[in-house]
Amino acid sequence: MNSTIGLGVPVPKMLPITGAWTLPFTAYLIFLSNRVVYQRIKHKQWIGDQLKSDKDNSGNFENPDPLFLDGRCHLNFLENVPYAFILTAIAELNGADRTILNYAMATFFAMRVGHVELGLRGKDTLGVGRPIGIFGSQGFMAAMAAYTAYLVKGYWGY
């Protein structure tokens, strides 16, 4: 699969797996973002990370501040996903197996969605998805970094 640039020079598509996964991750990011916007409009809270009426409710796990909760869901996603894409792109550029990358990104996506929907938004914000999302994401990062290091082991003489 090639594209052309400039004077018709063929350029191969270099990151098809990483590119393919931008759609579901971006769609879910927009969904999370819209949850925050919904809370802001519903409560007329245009700035800040907590509702004015819930400033002293920050430690309440049974009834969390909805703006704070949706904001944390959004930020937790943004804390992990960009680095996962960087690792995946580096692995792909260094010849990673596309099947492995597809399964890895599918698993990572499921873990991130589970972290929010079955974890933070679960009972008392401590649903089963929370540890799965946290430790699964850390495992993904470690595994993808190790896989990428393995792919370039020849550079170090191994």
Side-chain angles (χ1 to χ4, degrees), residues 3-148:
S3 299
T4 57
I5 60 169
L7 300 171
V9 178
V11 177
K13 293 192 185 325
M14 297 175 68
L15 298 169
I17 304 304
T18 307
W21 281 99
T22 59
L23 181 61
F25 279 93
T26 302
Y28 190 63
L29 176 62
I30 291 168
F31 176 74
L32 292 175
S33 203
N34 285 333
R35 277 185 174 163
V36 175
V37 170
Y38 170 76
Q39 292 299 333
R40 290 192 181 287
I41 292 171
K42 179 180 176 184
H43 298 286
K44 297 184 181 355
Q45 178 76 30
W46 311 117
I47 195 165
D49 62 356
Q50 293 182 347
L51 298 176
K52 291 176 184 166
S53 61
D54 288 342
K55 289 290 185 197
D56 50 346
N57 192 26
S58 59
N60 185 350
F61 296 113
E62 294 170 2
N63 186 21
D65 179 299
L67 177 59
F68 184 76
L69 178 63
D70 287 342
R72 284 309 311 161
C73 292
H74 183 248
L75 289 170
N76 284 344
F77 192 79
L78 285 174
E79 288 170 352
N80 290 279
V81 172
Y83 191 61
F85 267 86
I86 290 168
L87 289 172
T88 303
I90 293 169
E92 191 169 5
L93 287 171
N94 283 288
D97 183 291
R98 290 181 176 180
T99 303
I100 291 172
L101 291 182
N102 266 320
Y103 280 122
M105 288 301 279
T107 302
F108 184 71
F109 183 73
M111 287 185 296
R112 292 317 309 163
V113 171
H115 180 257
V116 171
E117 305 303 329
L118 302 174
L120 288 170
R121 297 181 65 81
K123 185 176 177 355
D124 299 336
T125 68
L126 298 171
V128 68
R130 197 156 182 197
I132 291 170
I134 292 167
F135 298 119
S137 293
Q138 291 174 352
F140 173 88
M141 303 291 181
M144 192 62 69
Y147 182 46
T148 303

